[in-house]
Amino acid sequence: GQSLEQPSEVTAVEGAIVQINCTYQTSGFYGLSWYQQHDGGAPTFLSYNALDGLEETGRFSSFLSRSDSYGYLLLQELQMKDSASYFCAVGSQGNLIFGKGTKLSVKP
Amino acid sequence: NAGVTQTPKFQVLKTGQSMTLQCAQDMNHNSMYWYRQDPGMGLRLIYYSASEGTTDKGEVPNGYNVSRLNKREFSLRLESAAPSQTSVYFCASSDRDYYGYTFGSGTRLTVV
């Protein structure tokens, strides 16, 4: 079967660093993506890792280890506007399979 | 540049009624997708179209049909709505497999 596991909720304070982990089990693997979704909004693309290692985009970084079927999203210098749900997604069999999402709450 | 446009934004149906959700993209993307999102369930793929003229089933296709009318438009039809189809429906498009999907703003559907 295919499955992605990520924590359901994470809480952090403004200015801190938070890491959201994702483990996956899929038939075929074509990269790990991360999406952000604010309440009532649409998912928006954040990052994509096709190969092992770290990708950095501003305050956000994403990491992939294909041998461990594991990745994470790292958010630095947290801001209140980062409060949202974050979804990992794996490319498999022609499309994206999404995890159930991690709700990040940033406190002042 | 509108990106992906979905209509309607909200809809209430009675059980057994039919309706079509419309989706159009103006980014010249080849691939288009329909997802549903339920609380605690993440996004689940209903149908997708890798190119004009082709459609394939996703994880949860039962009770739905799709039409890829042309490269821009991909519609989702509920022939006989059921309360279990109450959900938020998102259309998405991309120009590369597995990468950088652009989502529409969603259709919030309630079936009573």
Side-chain angles (χ1 to χ4, degrees):
Chain A
Q2 304 193 95
S3 66
L4 287 85
E5 297 292 332
Q6 54 181 126
S8 58
E9 294 183 27
V10 173
T11 301
V13 297
E14 201 172 10
I17 299 172
V18 71
Q19 179 173 311
I20 300 173
N21 298 320
C22 175
T23 58
Y24 59 87
Q25 181 178 0
T26 58
S27 303
F29 176 80
Y30 296 93
L32 180 69
S33 300
W34 290 91
Y35 286 76
Q36 179 191 60
Q37 184 180 32
H38 288 99
D39 284 348
T44 56
F45 172 73
L46 289 178
S47 68
Y48 174 71
N49 293 67
L51 302 175
D52 292 352
L54 191 68
E55 295 283 343
E56 298 181 71
T57 307
R59 294 186 297 113
F60 294 2
S61 304
S62 57
F63 172 83
L64 174 65
S65 169
R66 288 174 295 172
S67 61
D68 295 322
S69 299
Y70 164 76
Y72 65 73
L73 179 69
L74 189 74
L75 296 82
Q76 303 183 72
E77 301 173 18
L78 280 174
Q79 301 176 9
M80 298 299 292
K81 68 178 182 179
D82 298 328
S83 292
S85 292
Y86 293 84
F87 295 87
C88 60
V90 168
S92 177
Q93 299 180 334
N95 54 77
L96 278 183
I97 309 298
F98 283 81
K100 295 182 179 181
T102 299
K103 187 173 180 64
L104 172 64
S105 298
V106 181
K107 306 294 185 185
Chain B
N1 190 343
V4 178
T5 303
Q6 291 184 235
T7 56
K9 294 190 183 305
F10 300 92
Q11 184 72 48
V12 179
L13 289 178
K14 294 182 179 180
T15 297
Q17 286 185 317
S18 62
M19 79 161 296
T20 300
L21 282 63
Q22 305 288 351
C23 175
Q25 51 94 7
D26 61 4
M27 297 171 288
N28 202 36
H29 287 170
N30 284 319
S31 301
M32 298 186 73
Y33 312 85
W34 277 105
Y35 284 87
R36 62 176 288 174
Q37 186 174 34
D38 303 295
M41 295 297 292
L43 290 147
R44 292 184 292 170
L45 183 66
I46 305 171
Y47 272 94
Y48 66 102
S49 171
S51 62
E52 186 178 352
T54 68
T55 61
D56 286 287
K57 295 179 180 179
E59 180 186 357
V60 288
N62 291 344
Y64 306 95
N65 286 301
V66 290
S67 295
R68 183 74 183 267
L69 304 171
N70 47 55
K71 190 171 186 178
R72 290 186 64 248
E73 299 173 286
F74 188 38
S75 62
L76 178 72
R77 183 162 178 82
L78 287 71
E79 291 291 351
S80 179
S84 61
Q85 294 177 306
T86 293
S87 189
V88 181
Y89 291 85
F90 287 102
C91 177
S93 71
S94 70
D95 61 355
R96 292 190 230 176
D97 291 340
Y98 314 118
Y99 178 89
Y101 286 18
T102 299
F103 283 83
S105 59
T107 295
R108 284 148 183 82
L109 176 67
T110 302
V111 183
V112 297

